[in-house]
Amino acid sequence: MELGLKGKVALVTGGSRGIGFAIARGLAMEGACLSICARTESVLEEAAGRIRAESGVEVLAVASDLAQAEAIRAVVAKTVAAFGRVDILVNNAGSTERGDFLTLPDDQYWADWNGKLFATIRLSREVFPHMRQQRWGRIINIVGLAARNPQPSFMTGGTGNAALLNFTKALADLGAPHNILVTAVSPSTTRTPRWERRVAARAAAERKSLEEAMREEHARMPLGRIAEPEEVAAMVTFLASERASYVTGATVAVDGGATRGVY
Ligand SMILES: NC(=O)c1ccc[n+]([C@@H]2O[C@H](COP(=O)([O-])OP(=O)(O)OC[C@H]3O[C@@H](n4cnc5c(N)ncnc54)[C@H](OP(=O)(O)O)[C@@H]3O)[C@@H](O)[C@H]2O)c1
């Protein structure tokens, strides 16, 4: 299938590793020029180099902390300065913490919402005028199953993700008259460095081997395994493409059938 992504300009946040890296690589392999950002410059530059070498597309790496409003303005400005436009925004960066409701401090809620929910809102607001002028845009928000499947130990992430679904739908209404399509992709547990760290911590706390803790994670899923980042990236690449020209306001679960209920 020809996706029509050649020459499009995509900004992928958190493109240095995990799901964001797989998305950035997926878009680049379809011929999109890339701007990727994350805080750790060395890891970001290495990711940009790998993608450039594999795909041959231009990759701009902008080291920045998206928890800062000023950094967000700079990321979009540098992307537009380098490529002259921004066609696709993938709001992927974020790192929300698990914790006990009664002891989790307010600061953790603010930090987690700021790094993901507010970063998504601010970045979308920043790219929207460019997309409106072009009369073409795609904004794809990476959410998470906890948005619709609340978990008591993951309230900062779950509440932030639920708000992101609401935001996605409202922004889709605003974007529709200008051919700016806004969607959300909700992965279930996906094999990324963050997941590996979390399982290692759980294994240590429960005095299990890492292999046993990982086996349990896979066994919980209907397909008998967790997702690979490339499986999430494939859906994002499709939604970013010309072939998804009548999909907006929708949330697509890439969850191996894990979500209960119907939507
Ligand atoms: N993995 C899962 O099981 C899973 C499931 C559902 C949803 N998700 C969602 O998918 C997204 C990616 O998750 P992941 O597992 O791939 O995470 P990850 O492996 O921890 O990667 C996160 C990426 O975001 C960057 N990042 C984090 N905070 C940032 C900030 N303040 N400013 C700029 N960049 C920042 C990180 O780089 P630096 O640390 O260098 O900044 C990294 O590139 C997240 O939004 C997560 O909530 C993940």
Side-chain angles (χ1 to χ4, degrees):
M1 189 189 290
E2 172 52 54
L3 295 179
L5 283 166
K6 284 190 188 64
K8 296 275 191 231
V9 176
L11 168 55
V12 181
T13 71
S16 65
R17 61 168 192 258
I19 294 172
F21 175 78
I23 292 169
R25 186 175 170 277
L27 290 168
M29 295 308 277
E30 292 297 328
C33 303
L34 276 188
S35 172
I36 57 175
C37 61
R39 290 165 301 187
T40 317
E41 191 164 12
S42 54
V43 182
L44 184 69
E45 287 293 351
E46 193 188 324
R50 269 183 67 189
I51 296 173
R52 251 182 236 121
E54 269 188 71
S55 66
V57 304
E58 266 186 83
V59 184
L60 175 72
V62 188
S64 44
D65 181 358
L66 299 176
Q68 313 292 329
E70 200 41 60
I72 284 177
R73 280 191 283 276
V75 167
V76 174
K78 285 178 184 171
T79 303
V80 174
F83 297 111
R85 54 193 292 125
V86 55
D87 300 298
I88 297 157
L89 168 66
V90 182
N91 286 306
N92 162 81
S95 51
T96 37
E97 293 297 323
R98 287 174 185 271
D100 171 51
F101 172 61
L102 292 179
T103 54
L104 203 65
D106 288 0
D107 286 353
Q108 191 65 54
Y109 282 86
W110 291 124
D112 289 359
W113 291 339
N114 192 40
K116 187 165 180 185
L117 173 62
F118 274 101
T120 296
I121 292 169
R122 289 170 173 150
L123 275 156
S124 302
R125 194 166 53 206
E126 208 60 29
V127 300
F128 197 92
H130 296 282
M131 294 178 173
R132 188 174 51 194
Q133 196 185 6
Q134 295 160 194
R135 288 205 57 76
W136 202 100
R138 299 278 194 275
I139 298 175
I140 300 158
N141 300 323
I142 308 304
V143 185
L145 275 205
R148 283 180 158 140
N149 302 266
Q151 297 169 15
S153 63
F154 192 55
M155 286 191 185
T156 70
T159 52
N161 281 342
L164 272 175
L165 294 191
N166 190 294
F167 174 72
T168 298
K169 188 72 185 154
L171 193 66
D173 284 349
L174 273 186
H178 310 289
N179 195 29
I180 302 170
L181 310 186
V182 188
T183 50
V185 169
S186 241
S188 56
T189 307
T190 305
R191 189 202 300 270
T192 66
R194 190 167 71 117
W195 173 76
E196 283 163 8
R197 280 196 305 277
R198 191 167 57 74
V199 183
R202 184 171 69 78
E206 295 175 7
R207 295 173 187 278
K208 289 176 177 159
S209 70
L210 184 58
E211 291 69 32
E212 187 184 354
M214 284 192 170
R215 253 197 317 278
E216 288 170 356
E217 297 264 325
H218 290 296
R220 266 204 295 271
M221 305 306 292
L223 287 176
R225 63 175 179 85
I226 65 165
E228 297 297 330
E230 292 72 23
E231 293 174 307
V232 181
M235 178 57 68
V236 175
T237 304
F238 171 72
L239 289 172
S241 79
E242 293 282 10
R243 301 287 78 79
S245 49
Y246 207 65
V247 184
T248 192
T251 298
V252 182
V254 180
D255 69 349
T259 302
R260 307 320 308 156
V262 180
Y263 68 100

